């Protein structure tokens, strides 16, 4: 699916100091990304603090993003969990008319076997009205979806079109890229691995930093897709410190700090997450100043 290549961004949910959703800032964020080179938007992923949103809030966030986007970019909706029947029901019951795909995380906490992971995604995919992007993030789920399982899904389940791969083992990503079907997308789920994975034959990234630095990250990925290695790595190393700073105190505290420095939203999170420290905000400010001088 060509529309889901390049730079996708996992949008945050901006909050006010009292914990309510800051919808005007969400609109600003969508427009900022649409206007600065992003290829598609991911709605209600982990970065959106979806676990802290109630069902009404999720519906409101979806509607605001759809309205702000106004069909300018493809949308992907996050629907995942560790109860296969419930995830399937949520997908079936959701209005997916405006979404190109569903992003669904590998079951967390239960720690299923590889066969269990395969059956979970197969069950979801065969009942979903839109394509599925599977999401492997062992650092959050407590289990790894091995390359062999991903390739089995890619070859045997036609409605599974991509993986967002966030394993810390880069070689696992290259194992998938090497043996995947031609039209199966391998999307980086880690900003630091985004460029090397793209150059190795991947399809881009679903990025956290990208929503705060959309112009630079999109140029980096697009240079990578065109095999313009020197140009792409120049940007990669300009952003190198920010890739790490925004995760230093957890996600999305870091990216919200960066966005607050840029005046796009406030830095507030919902418990159990807390906003970035003053020292981290200061470090991000200094790095942004350095990048503005470099560019």
């Amino acid at each position: 699916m060509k529309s889901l290549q390049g730079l996708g961004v996992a949008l945050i949910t901006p909050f006010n100091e009292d914990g309510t959703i800051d919808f005007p800032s969400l609109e600003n964020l969508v427009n900022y990304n649409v206007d600065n080179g992003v290829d598609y938007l991911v709605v209600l992923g982990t970065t959106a603090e979806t676990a802290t949103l109630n069902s009404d809030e999720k519906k409101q966030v979806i509607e605001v993003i759809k309205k702000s986007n106004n069909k300018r970019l493809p949308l992907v909706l996050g629907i995942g969990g560790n109860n296969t029947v419930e995830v399937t029901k949520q997908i079936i019951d959701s209005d997916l008319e405006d979404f190109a795909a569903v992003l669904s995380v590998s079951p967390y906490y239960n720690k299923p076997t590889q066969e269990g992971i395969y059956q979970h995604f197969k069950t979801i995919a065969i009942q979903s009205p839109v394509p599925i992007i599977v999401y492997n993030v062992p650092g959050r789920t407590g289990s790894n979806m091995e390359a062999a399982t991903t390739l089995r899904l890619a070859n045997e389940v036609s409605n599974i079109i991509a993986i967002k791969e966030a394993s810390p083992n880069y070689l696992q990503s290259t194992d998938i890229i090497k043996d995947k079907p031609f039209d199966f997308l391998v999307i980086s789920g880690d900003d630091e691995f985004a460029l090397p994975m793209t150059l190795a034959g991947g399809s881009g990234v679903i990025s956290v930093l990208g929503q705060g630095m959309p112009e630079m990250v999109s140029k980096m990925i697009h240079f990578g897709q065109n095999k313009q290695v020197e140009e792409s790595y120049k940007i990669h190393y300009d952003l190198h410190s920010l890739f790490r700073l925004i995760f230093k105190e957890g996600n999305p505290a870091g990216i919200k700090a960066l966005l607050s420095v840029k005046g796009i939203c406030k830095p507030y999170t919902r418990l159990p997450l807390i906003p970035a420290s003053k020292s981290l905000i200061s470090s991000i400010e200094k790095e942004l100043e350095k990048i503005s001088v470099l560019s």
Side-chain angles (χ1 to χ4, degrees):
M1 186 177 285
K2 289 184 178 179
S3 64
L4 299 180
Q5 298 194 46
L7 173 60
V9 295
L11 294 170
I12 63 152
T13 303
F15 295 123
N16 296 303
E17 189 171 8
D18 65 1
T20 57
I21 298 174
D22 181 358
F23 290 111
S25 291
L26 182 57
E27 293 176 16
N28 291 340
L29 180 64
V30 170
N31 287 318
Y32 178 64
N33 279 266
V34 172
D35 293 340
N36 284 283
V38 169
D39 295 299
Y40 61 99
L41 305 173
V42 178
V43 182
L44 296 183
T46 307
T47 305
E49 297 175 76
T50 305
T52 70
L53 302 177
N54 64 40
S55 57
D56 288 338
E57 288 174 327
K58 290 176 186 177
K59 290 175 184 175
Q60 289 174 303
V61 166
I62 289 170
E63 288 308 311
V64 167
I65 292 173
K66 281 165 52 175
K67 184 177 179 181
S68 304
N69 180 53
N70 195 24
K71 301 187 184 295
R72 289 178 290 174
L73 294 181
L75 300 177
V76 172
L77 181 62
I79 304 177
N82 59 348
N83 179 338
T84 307
V85 172
E86 179 60 26
V87 174
T88 305
K89 183 177 185 298
Q90 285 182 35
I91 292 173
I92 292 171
D93 290 346
S94 296
D95 179 3
L96 299 173
E97 183 179 350
D98 292 300
F99 290 92
V102 161
L103 175 68
S104 196
V105 69
S106 183
Y108 45 80
Y109 193 74
N110 301 14
K111 301 182 85 168
T113 63
Q114 295 301 302
E115 181 64 25
I117 293 170
Y118 172 84
Q119 294 294 343
H120 170 84
F121 280 125
K122 180 179 179 182
T123 299
I124 289 168
I126 60 177
Q127 297 186 67
S128 173
V130 299
I132 298 292
I133 302 170
V134 299
Y135 180 18
N136 183 41
V137 56
R140 287 188 179 273
T141 63
S143 65
N144 178 48
M145 182 163 63
E146 296 171 3
T149 303
T150 300
L151 291 166
R152 186 181 170 200
L153 288 165
N155 282 293
E156 296 178 7
V157 186
S158 61
N159 204 31
I160 293 178
I161 61 162
I163 182 169
K164 179 185 177 185
E165 179 58 80
S167 165
N169 179 4
Y170 176 69
L171 295 180
Q172 178 165 294
S173 302
T174 58
D175 286 345
I176 299 168
I177 291 169
K178 174 179 173 289
D179 293 326
K180 72 179 183 68
F182 174 76
D183 56 353
F184 185 79
L185 306 180
V186 181
I187 302 165
S188 175
D190 185 314
D191 281 346
E192 280 204 79
F193 286 161
L195 179 58
M197 272 183 64
T198 301
L199 289 168
S203 304
V205 63
I206 293 176
S207 174
V208 175
L209 182 63
Q211 67 197 294
M213 308 292 288
E215 190 170 358
M216 289 184 72
V217 178
S218 64
K219 281 183 179 178
M220 180 187 78
I221 295 298
H222 296 153
F223 279 143
Q225 288 177 308
N226 293 327
K227 302 298 184 270
Q228 294 172 263
V229 179
E230 289 186 16
E231 296 91 336
S232 59
Y233 265 111
K234 166 70 168 61
I235 300 173
H236 173 88
Y237 286 120
D238 286 347
L239 294 171
H240 193 258
S241 294
L242 278 182
F243 285 143
R244 297 183 180 182
L245 280 173
I246 65 164
F247 291 101
K248 187 175 181 180
E249 295 180 5
N251 182 43
I255 186 60
K256 284 189 165 184
L258 185 149
L259 289 166
S260 71
V261 170
K262 298 188 83 169
I264 295 169
C265 73
K266 305 175 190 76
Y268 304 115
T269 55
R270 278 185 176 173
L271 287 170
L273 301 182
I274 60 172
S277 64
K278 290 181 180 178
S279 63
L280 179 58
I281 293 172
S282 177
S283 297
I284 289 172
E285 283 178 330
K286 290 174 183 175
E287 196 59 33
L288 288 172
E289 289 171 6
K290 189 189 302 181
I291 289 171
S292 69
V293 171
L294 290 172
S295 57

